[in-house]
Amino acid sequence: MLILRKSEDRGYANHGWLESYHSFSFADYYDPAHMGFGPLRVINDDWIDAAMGFGTHGHKDMEIITYVLEGEIAHKDSMGNGSTIRPGDVQRMSAGTGVRHSEFNPSKEHKTHLLQIWIQPAKIGNAPGYEEKNFSREQKNGRLCLVASPDAAAGSVQIHQDARVYVGLFDAAQTAGLSLAKNRLAYVHLARGALTVNGQSLQAGDALMLHDEAQLDITDGVAAEVLVFDLPQ
């Protein structure tokens, strides 16, 4: 079964310095039909103004993945990590028993566009942890590149859940496929461009949810950047 959710059907918040589109219920946006998908709990499509950001705040028992599309974000946390995340980087912060952090756009001129993704861990009470890795355009070009997994396979960042996150760049005749095991879910989020997935046409911001499908097929990309989540039910 395929379920298409259009970009304009997402939640939206404008805080002046921050514009955010919510794929699932978050903060003041509440939709009981979209509370998450399997353990995937949050995809926030954020635009952060220059020299603005999120002050120090806390998280607990969540796997948080940050993926920058444009610009950069400066991160500091209570574990002692400090880094600037740029396009191509994947940052994983396991909040576990508790972490405090801040995120700030260091540019004085340009907005930052990023995706913040929350995945519920398989169990609560993990030790907090942090990891970041860079994945080049070549690694993602015309293929689904594994960027997060439970076992750090293929150089991916490691998360505390039986979930796998892929990122791909597709244009023109490039195609890719992903086999899906029985009793698994798949969630496709198109970050930008246009793409066809299992015969469904997607535009930037659209999502496709797959239930009980054996195969995911990507075709007809037009400057597309896509994230694919292979998830337990």
Side-chain angles (χ1 to χ4, degrees), residues 118-179:
W118 295 7
I119 297 175
Q120 294 171 322
K123 66 180 182 70
I124 63 173
N126 294 308
Y130 180 89
E131 189 178 11
E132 66 179 75
K133 292 188 177 181
N134 181 270
F135 299 87
S136 68
R137 290 191 62 88
E138 289 73 20
Q139 288 175 280
K140 297 177 285 188
N141 187 33
R143 63 185 295 267
L144 290 172
C145 174
L146 184 66
V147 301
S149 70
D151 54 2
S156 58
V157 301
Q158 188 169 19
I159 56 175
H160 295 94
Q161 178 55 268
D162 182 21
R164 290 161 182 81
V165 185
Y166 301 84
V167 178
L169 304 173
F170 296 92
D171 202 30
Q174 294 174 324
T175 64
L178 181 67
S179 296

Side-chain angles (χ1 to χ4, degrees), residues 143-144 168-171 173-178 188 194-199 215-221 224 226-228:
R143 63 185 295 267
L144 290 172
L169 304 173
F170 296 92
D171 202 30
Q174 294 174 324
T175 64
L178 181 67
V188 179
L195 197 66
T196 297
V197 179
N198 287 31
Q215 178 75 16
L216 184 151
D217 290 309
I218 290 173
T219 58
D220 304 323
V226 65
L227 284 80
V228 174

Side-chain angles (χ1 to χ4, degrees), residues 5 23-27 29-43 62 118 120 209:
R5 190 173 190 220
S23 295
F24 306 107
S25 295
F26 186 86
Y29 167 61
Y30 175 72
D31 181 348
H34 295 94
M35 297 299 296
F37 190 71
L40 178 60
R41 180 61 187 84
V42 168
I43 300 179
M62 196 66 69
W118 295 7
Q120 294 171 322
M209 291 163 270

Side-chain angles (χ1 to χ4, degrees), residues 178-196:
L178 181 67
S179 296
L180 303 173
K182 190 176 181 180
N183 298 322
R184 300 286 290 184
L185 303 170
Y187 188 94
V188 179
H189 176 85
L190 184 58
R192 49 188 167 192
L195 197 66
T196 297

